[in-house]
Amino acid sequence: MKISLISGSHRKNSQSTKVTSFVQGILEKKHGIKTQTFDLGEKPLPVWEPGMWQKDSEIKQFWKTYSNGLTESDGFIFFSPEYSGMASPALKNFFLFISGADFAHKPGLLFSISSGRGGAYPISELRSSSYKNTRIVYVPDHVIVRNVEKVLNDVNAIDEDDTMIRERIEYSLAVFLEYSKALQTVRSSGTINLQKFGNGM
């Protein structure tokens, strides 16, 4: 099994990247999962443009190199900071590059990152607007990391809030991995027809 993690912050060395690295460590060390990380702050994507619809365009060739290994992933975990109550523009832009062949009928787990007590809005926004043509299947669980500067900084939890979010992350990852196994059966069933029904309604 292979899982891709997408850190959606625009910043280098961001708190979203910190959380991404924490989750990656659990997947690799505890579950033995192969992972791949796309950090949109360290390696930003250009703004999507219609050249992506052309087979040999410059932006299409760039995306093929940038996204190497993405299609082979069995599931995806997204980390979005909350910017003015919205999901990260870099992450929304990332979804525009995605085709059904990349994400279709694969599970997605959403993380929202907040420096305060917020964080709910990016979850709602991504659930409502990023699945239509990608066909990604968001699992019912998600994680909101609040007061992010104060948690997930040390090997061991330092207080009750840190302990609580670590337990929630462990649980949500375990659920997500079961969906990753289960949806492999759906994709291999022969039922999926992305050539005829390439876009959602």
Side-chain angles (χ1 to χ4, degrees):
M1 184 184 295
K2 179 182 176 182
I3 302 299
S4 284
L5 302 91
I6 297 91
S7 177
S9 177
H10 293 234
R11 301 173 179 173
K12 294 183 178 182
N13 302 314
S14 66
Q15 291 294 317
S16 296
T17 298
K18 178 187 79 175
V19 178
T20 302
S21 297
F22 181 84
V23 170
Q24 184 177 30
I26 295 174
L27 290 172
E28 293 181 348
K29 296 171 186 176
K30 181 175 180 179
H31 296 282
I33 301 292
K34 182 179 179 181
T35 67
Q36 178 180 22
T37 297
F38 295 85
D39 190 324
L40 303 181
E42 293 289 341
K43 290 179 63 179
L45 277 168
V47 174
W48 181 93
E49 50 98 352
M52 275 295 292
W53 293 331
Q54 300 169 8
K55 184 178 180 180
D56 297 319
S57 67
E58 184 176 338
I59 194 169
K60 186 76 169 184
Q61 296 308 313
F62 169 83
W63 172 249
K64 285 181 179 179
T65 301
Y66 185 101
S67 64
N68 185 39
L70 193 72
T71 302
E72 291 77 29
S73 295
D74 296 295
F76 302 90
I77 307 177
F78 305 95
F79 302 81
S80 178
E82 185 174 46
Y83 292 156
S84 297
M86 296 180 288
S88 152
L91 191 53
K92 297 282 283 188
N93 183 55
F94 177 85
F95 276 103
L96 293 175
F97 282 85
I98 298 302
S99 70
D102 299 320
F103 280 10
H105 305 284
K106 297 178 182 180
L109 175 62
L110 294 171
F111 276 70
S112 180
I113 316 300
S114 175
S115 61
R117 299 297 296 170
Y121 289 109
I123 300 292
S124 176
E125 182 178 350
L126 290 169
R127 283 191 184 278
S128 67
S129 68
S130 58
Y131 73 93
K132 175 184 171 288
N133 288 349
T134 66
R135 306 298 182 87
I136 195 163
V137 180
Y138 287 120
V139 301
D141 288 275
H142 58 257
V143 179
I144 302 175
V145 183
R146 296 184 168 108
N147 297 313
V148 66
E149 288 91 349
K150 299 178 181 178
V151 297
L152 309 180
N153 294 315
D154 299 306
V155 174
N156 299 309
I158 61 170
D159 59 23
E160 185 178 349
D161 288 339
D162 204 357
T163 299
M164 182 277 294
I165 197 60
R166 289 168 191 251
E167 290 176 350
R168 174 62 72 169
I169 289 171
E170 293 265 9
Y171 170 74
S172 297
L173 286 176
V175 170
F176 166 75
L177 290 176
E178 291 302 316
Y179 274 90
S180 298
K181 296 173 189 174
L183 286 178
Q184 288 176 343
T185 303
V186 174
R187 295 195 302 279
S188 64
S189 68
T191 304
I192 310 304
N193 187 345
L194 294 177
Q195 289 187 333
K196 186 173 182 179
F197 302 104
N199 295 322
M201 293 181 69

